[in-house]
Amino acid sequence: MRIDIRHQAGGFAGALRIYSGRTMKVTLLLSVIFILKTITSCIDPAEWDFELSFNKITITNLDNSGFYPTETNSDIMYAPAVAFTVTLSDETILASGVNRRSNNSFTGFTPAYAMSPEPRYYPLNRITGISIVTLEAMSPEIPAGTDVTGLFAACVPRFNAPGFLYIDSSELLSAIDRDFYPDEPSVTFQLFCREEIAGDKAQFEINITLSDESTLSATTNLITLVRNE
Amino acid sequence: MRRYAKIMMFLLPAVAVSSLLPAQGRFIEKKEASLWFGVRDITRDSLANGANLDFLNYLHSSDEMAEYQYLGLSAHLWFRGNWEADFKVAMYDDFAPTSLNIKAIWMPYKYLGLTAGFYSYPQLMNEFNMFHRLSDEGWYGDTDSNFRQRRVHETGIMAGVAVPVSYRFIHLNLCLNGGISTLSKFREKVTQKMINGNMRREIRYSTKNSPALFFFPEAELGLDCFRIGSSTLGVRGHASWFTVKRSVDYKMTIWEWTYDNPMQEDVANPAHSFSKFEFDAGLYLTW
């Protein structure tokens, strides 16, 4: 009777040993997979740094007659509400697109990242100057061809938010010339004319000088001005 | 202000539950605790809009009987040596004990005493941006589309006379208080944009102290209803009237286009007559 009990106990202990050994192996295997998965999910932030070269300037009309400015295709503006959006960008990057996520993910699980860093675009050519020249006479004192940069206020929605008001055009350069541009290979700013233009037409040329001594220039559409009644 | 009110909230029950000392030679000879509900009616003049915003035109006032309702607690202590103390705390529906009426009373005569105390209560100032919306033609008067409301506190010190009269189960207490009070200082901002134009401007207001003399008579009537041992349960009613004439002056700073070169102006506004009537009723327990 005693032998039987001992025999049964010995069998049970063996089964338990086999069972626990298998569990250990499975746990170990899963742990290795998990660690591999974690390693392959890691992101090197440096891989999200890109170089950009400003080579394109785009101007869009702004409708600033209401509460907030909105982009518009219309070339008609109120004389006290002449405003534009200017975008400087790297056409090459925008056209090709950027692979924003590492492809070496381990199959089996949906990749889960602890963080998704924004790509950072480092400019090869820094912005060194901005000038706005009127192509139409704004008043008898401001004939066509005058540099009217000082007559504009600005807003750089992503980079300066001092409050409700604009920044002076003299502060615009320091607001848009940055060590890097997060998320997009471009920088956008808004220009608001502070002068009520006396004539019935307005057109401006916007020149951006860059550190590689190149200049990006664009001309606004010919704007027809209307007045408050 | 709220901190003092909270201290009072702890002080009142502490006084109420303090141990009953033997009658002879005890420091507090008699105590009373009350619970009441009241209404507050505001009457103020509204002056015609001038060149500048006058905040007192926007104190909450309506044609209704009472602009505010409140729940209150009070304690009255009779000390040895003809001294008394009266603490009243009231709260609106936010249950913040922000209305305070604290008095020390010295009774050199049976029917005449002198009072000194502290008085404070909050009220609402609503839609002061309407001034800009109505006055500034050609502008979006205030780009903040929220309902503009702020709470201001009238706070003052006071002194006066008290006339307590008791006949059997009827207790009447009249107080004629007067003092000096000020409306709490505050800062406000209004942002504007020209309609059909690029121009933006920001106006910031910073109000100054607005000390003014006030007159504040009170009448309190208590009726003993039940006597349980040495304690008495009764009903009470209290009415008061508060009147003051004051102006709220401020410093105004205006920025146009950018935050450079602000224009500053000290604005003096005309004085407004303001009064409030309060009535509350409830229960009291004296022991």
Side-chain angles (χ1 to χ4, degrees):
Chain A
M1 187 67 179
R2 197 176 287 170
I3 293 164
D4 285 349
I5 292 167
R6 216 178 277 162
H7 179 72
Q8 279 180 1
F12 179 70
L16 195 71
R17 215 175 295 129
I18 291 163
Y19 179 71
S20 64
R22 193 174 295 156
T23 307
M24 185 64 83
K25 281 175 192 165
V26 170
T27 309
L28 210 70
L29 188 65
L30 283 174
S31 301
V32 168
I33 292 169
F34 213 79
I35 289 164
L36 279 173
K37 182 68 191 161
T38 307
I39 290 167
T40 55
S41 298
C42 288
I43 295 168
D44 178 6
E47 287 183 17
W48 291 68
D49 291 344
F50 304 94
E51 289 176 339
L52 98 134
S53 182
F54 290 118
N55 51 30
K56 188 183 179 189
I57 179 169
T58 316
I59 300 177
T60 314
N61 293 346
L62 276 180
D63 175 6
N64 197 29
S65 56
F67 238 51
Y68 299 106
T70 51
E71 293 194 355
T72 177
N73 293 322
S74 169
D75 289 334
I76 299 170
M77 291 184 190
Y78 281 98
V82 172
F84 307 97
T85 292
V86 181
T87 302
L88 304 177
S89 58
D90 186 333
E91 202 175 15
T92 342
I93 294 181
L94 282 176
S96 62
V98 171
N99 187 3
R100 298 176 65 178
R101 184 163 285 182
S102 170
N103 275 333
N104 57 346
S105 59
F106 202 74
T107 52
F109 297 107
T110 307
Y113 298 100
M115 59 177 287
S116 299
E118 280 187 331
R120 292 189 293 193
Y121 298 90
Y122 290 81
L124 295 171
N125 49 357
R126 303 285 292 253
I127 302 165
T128 54
I130 303 156
S131 75
I132 305 164
V133 176
T134 179
L135 302 179
E136 296 281 332
M138 291 174 70
S139 68
E141 295 79 34
I142 309 169
T146 308
D147 186 322
V148 291
T149 314
L151 296 181
F152 279 80
C155 181
V156 190
R158 294 188 64 207
F159 300 125
N160 87 295
F164 176 72
L165 301 182
Y166 306 110
I167 57 169
D168 193 74
S169 56
S170 61
E171 299 167 88
L172 177 60
L173 180 61
S174 59
I176 61 171
D177 176 41
R178 308 187 73 84
D179 292 335
F180 64 88
Y181 299 87
D183 205 29
E184 297 287 340
S186 64
V187 58
T188 297
F189 55 93
Q190 297 166 331
L191 294 170
F192 302 89
C193 186
R194 296 164 74 151
E195 194 84 3
E196 180 166 347
I197 300 169
D200 56 359
K201 298 277 178 200
Q203 191 170 29
F204 299 93
E205 183 185 81
I206 297 168
N207 303 301
I208 307 292
T209 47
L210 301 164
S211 58
D212 59 3
E213 296 187 353
S214 63
T215 303
L216 294 175
S217 293
T219 304
T220 66
N221 293 346
L222 184 63
I223 306 297
T224 303
L225 300 174
V226 292
R227 316 220 162 253
N228 286 321
E229 290 180 4
Chain B
M1 182 56 59
R2 282 193 174 197
R3 193 176 58 176
Y4 294 126
K6 279 174 186 165
I7 291 168
M8 286 296 301
M9 288 291 284
F10 286 107
L11 191 63
L12 286 177
V15 168
V17 301
S18 63
S19 62
L20 285 168
L21 295 170
Q24 197 150 34
R26 65 189 180 187
F27 180 59
I28 300 172
E29 294 178 338
K30 189 179 161 189
K31 299 164 196 167
E32 182 184 284
S34 316
L35 178 69
W36 28 273
F37 178 78
V39 291
R40 179 176 291 161
D41 185 57
I42 302 291
T43 306
R44 58 148 176 84
D45 58 13
S46 181
L47 304 181
N49 276 345
N52 293 300
L53 169 58
D54 188 347
F55 284 103
L56 291 183
N57 273 340
Y58 300 93
L59 285 176
H60 177 46
S61 176
S62 69
D63 296 332
E64 293 170 18
M65 169 54 201
E67 283 83 1
Y68 303 94
Q69 297 79 40
Y70 53 85
L71 182 69
L73 300 166
S74 62
H76 195 104
L77 305 174
W78 285 263
F79 297 101
R80 192 174 55 199
N82 299 331
W83 282 93
E84 294 175 25
D86 190 66
F87 308 91
K88 290 188 175 73
V89 175
M91 58 201 87
Y92 295 144
D93 56 3
D94 59 0
F95 291 100
T98 45
S99 295
L100 297 176
N101 181 352
I102 301 166
K103 279 198 291 284
I105 306 162
W106 178 52
M107 298 294 300
Y109 305 103
K110 188 179 179 186
Y111 296 114
L112 184 65
L114 299 175
T115 68
F118 172 81
Y119 186 59
S120 179
Y121 71 95
Q123 55 183 319
L124 296 172
M125 187 175 276
N126 292 339
E127 291 194 292
F128 42 83
N129 56 345
M130 288 307 289
F131 169 80
H132 288 293
R133 289 197 171 153
L134 296 173
S135 319
D136 297 341
E137 284 183 27
W139 290 79
Y140 294 108
D142 183 15
T143 60
D144 186 344
S145 57
N146 292 309
F147 183 78
R148 301 292 295 268
Q149 182 181 69
R150 70 169 308 116
R151 185 174 280 201
V152 286
H153 288 261
E154 175 105 36
T155 304
I157 51 171
M158 59 189 179
V161 293
V163 182
V165 181
S166 286
Y167 176 71
R168 297 179 63 190
F169 62 92
I170 303 169
H171 312 285
L172 178 67
N173 192 14
L174 301 172
C175 285
L176 292 176
N177 307 303
I180 186 163
S181 68
T182 183
L183 213 61
S184 53
K185 292 194 287 185
F186 58 88
R187 292 167 190 269
E188 277 298 344
K189 180 175 82 173
V190 172
T191 50
Q192 303 185 312
K193 185 189 169 292
M194 186 184 278
I195 298 169
N196 299 335
N198 286 332
M199 190 175 179
R200 290 184 181 196
R201 70 181 172 203
E202 184 169 314
I203 306 166
R204 289 188 199 169
Y205 296 99
S206 177
T207 63
K208 300 174 179 177
N209 279 321
S210 52
L213 296 175
F214 68 87
F215 180 54
F216 180 42
E218 297 176 273
E220 192 166 345
L221 178 69
L223 302 174
D224 294 346
C225 296
F226 304 103
R227 201 175 291 275
I228 309 156
S230 60
S231 303
T232 305
L233 184 70
V235 292
R236 71 181 281 286
H238 171 259
S240 70
W241 184 63
F242 178 96
T243 182
V244 67
K245 189 163 188 174
R246 75 147 48 81
S247 62
V248 169
D249 303 336
Y250 52 78
K251 178 177 271 188
M252 178 170 66
T253 310
I254 303 173
W255 287 267
E256 290 182 344
W257 291 101
T258 67
Y259 287 101
D260 307 314
N261 307 318
M263 293 173 282
Q264 291 195 329
E265 189 182 346
D266 286 302
V267 174
N269 276 314
H272 287 247
S273 294
F274 172 89
S275 68
K276 74 176 171 64
F277 174 76
E278 289 179 353
F279 176 77
D280 53 74
L283 302 170
Y284 68 83
L285 183 70
T286 306
W287 69 99

